[in-house]
Amino acid sequence: MTNDLTDEEKRQINSILIHIISETNGLSLNNTLELLTLSPYIKGKTKIHRVVSDFVSTLKEFQHNSIPIDSLIDHPLAQSLFYFFKNFPISYHEEHIHLTGSLDADFIWSKIKVLLNQNDGHIYLKKINAIYNTNIKSLSGVDDVLNLIQLKQGEEFKRYLQILFLPKLILRNQKDHEDAAYHMATKLYAQYNVGNIRLKFTLSRSTGIEEEKIPGQSTVSEEDTILGLYKGFIRFKKENPLFNFVLSPSFRKEKEFYDIENFPSKKDHFDHQVKLLLSLLEKYPELREYLLEIDTVGDEKNLYRKAHFEEMKDGLRKLQYHGIKIRSHHGETWKILRKGVQSVDNAMNIWHIDTLEHGLSLGINPNFYFHRIFQQSIALNDINKPILPNTQINEELEDFNWINQNIKFKLQKGERLSPEERIEFIKTKFHNAREIEHYQHDILNRMINKGVSLVALPSSNLKLTGCFPDYKDHPFSWWEKKGVQLGIGTDNYITLNTNYIKEMMILLFSEPENLKITKLLMVATKEKRRAYISHLLWKMRKSNPL
């Protein structure tokens, strides 16, 4: 349908949409579309009316699970929404973006081709083939790079961490980091109206995990990393004074991820990094305005008990005494939902985090989640198939508080349940869901009372966890109604094939009835003055005549 529209018709749709949104003060998407359909602005404009009507129908199909969200994102009216968000007068706060997964293929190619042409280029190519499970003789251009760094359909969290290797390979000195920061800021500012970046990056890549080791990076110091990123962003800020940023050094949580050659334990290495970070702030006081926090990242599936939080506790407390805030990736992935909630609980109680990144385990509806476990279990049981060990279903069943353990054993053996046993199964999963729902609300209420904010990452959560079936099930709107302080992020937007405005549109399309455009703008811009948002909408109307 896009090819059917002239440039003038596309301009008219952009302007008409802006007029409707501004005149109604940013209602929900459904309300906006209804008023747009009835608007005199499109009366007599047959093609434009057809575009609007088709989008309304397409949105309904998406809501009824008939089509994927990409059919909406690619629609001409969605492109006009993109135009609206891109041209909103206040820039957006990208609250969660990682360095390595947000460098585009052009930038990586400009660096990697130099590296591969060196005398030891074969060493790097061998490592690339090992990580990406390929047998390539060389990389020939941008398309080859893009194929390696973007997550494929069906690939999940573990693979996601692996394919971030190529961007890590090119960040070899302070100048590389400076170039990367400047390139990122330039692209996000120009293409997606992102004027505030909270950048997450690994302070030290030293690790005992063999596949995570980067050839030739022993010379890249923590100081080079921080100063390079700082200089790159400052360079862009001098050209665009309204731009701002926060540097958020990130530390891997996994027990094996530390400099095993120079430190006896992860705790010793982390404490050393804390001292180094504080010494850099003393040495370079100009960093204090921008290095305000740290984050913890990595695969948390096996990191949920109190003991798992002890190694980093002392170092984090020392940072807090020096005014550094703590953010943490928790509730992102889990073996069982209860442990995903438990990990957030311990992050709050032991680490005293200021912001929760992802937090998906606090948004999954336990009643829906566990009823799906029940349905999947019964579907297998109906055909006498056993529930196998080390599967998500089996892990959850093992965690149930069974009154009759024999039901679990029969499910695991593939022996048919009797009607009475099925009823008992339903009751067991019901009470399990109720306990976890109570646990979730307890933590969310504490977050609200303590002012702990939460950053939502729809594409990352859907593509990497597999714990909810569709974007429509993302809990952003529910969190917003409950009163949680929210932010929006893309995580690794190149790796995940998304962008900041696309994430905003995903949230809007997923909750077209209740999420107001004005509220979404307030979350994205961090602008709390609703009247000022209204003024800016009217300003957009004036600058986009019909």
Side-chain angles (χ1 to χ4, degrees):
M1 183 173 282
T2 305
N3 296 332
D4 191 32
L5 296 170
T6 66
D7 289 343
E8 173 57 22
E9 287 167 334
K10 293 176 186 177
R11 186 202 67 78
Q12 287 182 24
I13 296 175
N14 292 345
S15 297
I16 290 169
L17 187 62
I18 288 170
H19 277 241
I20 291 293
I21 293 173
S22 63
E23 291 168 8
T24 59
N25 202 23
L27 293 172
S28 70
L29 182 59
N30 277 354
N31 288 157
T32 301
L33 292 172
E34 181 180 353
L35 294 171
L36 181 57
T37 304
L38 300 171
S39 172
Y41 294 143
I42 66 173
K43 189 175 181 180
K45 296 181 172 67
T46 306
K47 287 173 69 176
I48 294 177
H49 197 288
R50 178 161 52 87
V51 168
V52 175
S53 298
D54 185 74
F55 184 77
V56 171
S57 299
T58 306
L59 180 61
K60 288 179 180 177
E61 288 183 70
F62 169 65
Q63 290 295 316
H64 293 133
N65 300 318
S66 300
I67 58 170
I69 199 166
D70 289 340
S71 300
L72 277 173
I73 297 292
D74 296 335
H75 196 280
L77 192 67
Q79 297 307 306
S80 289
L81 271 170
F82 189 99
Y83 176 88
F84 165 76
F85 286 126
K86 183 182 178 183
N87 290 279
F88 189 70
I90 306 180
S91 59
Y92 304 122
H93 286 241
E94 166 58 273
E95 288 290 289
H96 185 128
I97 186 168
H98 290 268
L99 175 63
T100 48
S102 301
L103 297 175
D104 64 24
D106 292 279
F107 179 79
I108 294 173
W109 172 243
S110 71
K111 298 282 187 179
I112 197 72
K113 65 182 179 182
V114 176
L115 195 63
L116 294 178
N117 284 330
Q118 294 177 355
N119 290 335
D120 56 356
H122 64 282
I123 297 174
Y124 306 111
L125 191 61
K126 181 180 179 181
K127 187 74 173 182
I128 290 170
N129 280 323
I131 293 293
Y132 292 94
N133 195 26
T134 55
N135 190 29
I136 55 177
K137 299 282 191 282
S138 66
L139 293 175
S140 58
V142 172
D143 289 343
D144 285 351
V145 172
L146 187 63
N147 183 55
L148 291 178
I149 65 174
Q150 281 196 338
L151 197 70
K152 308 298 188 300
Q153 186 73 28
E155 293 179 335
E156 293 189 357
F157 192 79
K158 185 176 181 180
R159 183 58 178 162
Y160 159 75
L161 292 178
Q162 291 171 337
I163 66 174
L164 295 173
F165 174 80
L166 196 61
K168 295 175 186 176
L169 194 59
I170 64 166
L171 298 171
R172 311 185 65 73
N173 51 50
Q174 185 178 135
K175 183 63 166 58
D176 287 337
H177 285 82
E178 179 180 344
D179 292 344
Y182 182 82
H183 177 83
M184 178 188 291
T186 302
K187 184 168 183 178
L188 293 177
Y189 194 78
Q191 296 186 13
Y192 309 117
N193 194 24
V194 171
N196 292 266
I197 294 175
R198 176 168 266 108
L199 182 69
K200 302 176 186 304
F201 60 96
T202 303
L203 191 62
S204 171
R205 300 201 185 280
S206 298
T207 175
I209 303 174
E210 187 61 35
E211 66 180 24
E212 292 277 1
K213 293 181 179 179
I214 311 295
Q217 281 206 351
S218 59
T219 58
V220 185
S221 69
E222 291 89 342
E223 185 171 335
D224 284 336
T225 298
I226 290 175
L227 290 180
L229 296 172
Y230 168 77
K231 289 177 180 179
F233 282 144
I234 286 294
R235 175 153 56 107
F236 185 79
K237 185 174 174 62
K238 288 178 179 177
E239 299 169 3
N240 302 274
L242 294 178
F243 172 78
N244 214 341
F245 64 97
V246 173
L247 296 176
S248 186
S250 300
F251 301 89
R252 291 283 290 267
K253 298 190 289 280
E254 297 95 325
K255 189 175 182 64
E256 302 83 6
F257 204 101
Y258 72 97
D259 185 354
I260 198 169
E261 295 177 1
N262 295 303
F263 295 92
S265 70
K266 182 178 181 66
K267 175 177 170 36
D268 290 307
H269 185 206
F270 181 62
D271 289 345
H272 168 77
Q273 288 179 291
V274 167
K275 291 177 183 177
L276 178 61
L277 189 60
L278 293 174
S279 70
L280 288 174
L281 290 174
E282 288 292 326
K283 185 176 180 180
Y284 302 101
E286 64 270 24
L287 291 173
R288 288 187 172 274
E289 186 178 348
Y290 303 100
L291 207 162
L292 308 169
E293 63 193 33
I294 65 97
D295 202 345
T296 70
V297 300
D299 190 346
E300 63 178 293
K301 282 188 176 180
N302 295 309
L303 304 171
Y304 56 90
R305 292 193 178 98
K306 290 181 180 179
H308 298 146
F309 290 78
E310 290 298 325
E311 285 185 311
M312 298 176 72
K313 175 185 171 181
D314 292 342
L316 292 175
R317 203 69 81 238
K318 187 170 186 177
L319 290 170
Q320 288 167 324
Y321 291 148
H322 284 80
I324 303 296
K325 292 188 174 183
I326 310 301
R327 303 169 79 94
S328 189
H329 288 52
H330 275 101
E332 181 180 8
T333 59
W334 55 83
K335 281 191 173 181
I336 58 172
L337 183 56
R338 180 182 58 79
K339 291 178 180 177
V341 179
Q342 184 181 349
S343 71
V344 178
D345 191 12
N346 285 326
M348 288 186 63
N349 290 335
I350 299 172
W351 286 357
H352 301 169
I353 61 172
D354 299 281
T355 299
L356 174 63
E357 311 283 356
H358 293 281
L360 189 62
S361 62
L362 301 185
I364 292 290
N365 186 321
N367 296 291
F368 181 92
Y369 178 83
F370 286 111
H371 199 72
R372 285 296 296 134
I373 295 290
F374 166 77
Q375 290 175 331
Q376 291 163 351
S377 301
I378 291 300
L380 291 170
N381 191 252
D382 281 343
I383 56 175
N384 298 107
K385 279 197 172 183
I387 293 173
L388 300 175
N390 302 318
T391 60
Q392 183 84 36
I393 297 175
N394 193 65
E395 295 283 351
E396 293 290 2
L397 295 182
E398 287 287 352
D399 192 58
F400 281 10
N401 185 21
W402 295 95
I403 295 175
N404 182 359
Q405 289 276 343
N406 191 50
I407 296 174
K408 179 185 72 174
F409 297 146
K410 290 179 75 172
L411 289 167
Q412 292 170 333
K413 294 175 183 178
E415 297 176 8
R416 295 286 290 273
L417 298 183
S418 68
E420 293 76 18
E421 287 170 328
R422 291 190 181 210
I423 295 297
E424 188 64 34
F425 186 6
I426 291 173
K427 290 180 179 179
T428 301
K429 72 87 189 171
F430 174 86
H431 290 295
N432 191 68
R434 183 67 188 89
E435 289 297 316
I436 292 180
E437 185 177 38
H438 182 82
Y439 195 8
Q440 288 175 325
H441 280 276
D442 178 61
I443 295 173
L444 283 168
N445 289 335
R446 279 190 283 135
M447 286 177 62
I448 293 167
N449 291 336
K450 293 183 176 182
V452 175
S453 56
L454 192 159
V455 179
L457 304 104
S459 288
S460 175
N461 294 153
L462 181 73
K463 294 180 179 180
L464 299 181
T465 67
C467 290
F468 59 95
D470 192 85
Y471 287 110
K472 295 185 292 297
D473 301 291
H474 192 276
F476 177 88
S477 188
W478 179 68
W479 284 333
E480 188 270 318
K481 289 175 191 172
K482 190 168 176 63
V484 179
Q485 294 180 36
L486 291 172
I488 301 170
T490 59
D491 210 352
N492 291 279
Y493 84 97
I494 297 295
T495 305
L496 297 171
N497 191 24
T498 187
N499 60 67
Y500 193 88
I501 295 178
K502 185 176 179 180
E503 295 299 289
M504 293 177 69
M505 291 166 64
I506 286 170
L507 292 171
L508 198 61
F509 296 163
S510 299
E511 190 60 81
E513 186 63 38
N514 297 310
L515 180 59
K516 290 181 171 61
I517 294 172
T518 294
K519 182 60 183 181
L520 181 59
L521 287 169
M522 292 174 72
V523 173
T525 63
K526 300 297 178 185
E527 176 53 67
K528 297 181 180 179
R529 297 169 294 177
R530 189 178 293 269
Y532 186 53
I533 295 286
S534 302
H535 165 72
L536 294 176
L537 289 173
W538 200 255
K539 187 176 179 181
M540 286 186 74
R541 183 184 186 278
K542 289 180 179 179
S543 60
N544 287 271
L546 294 172

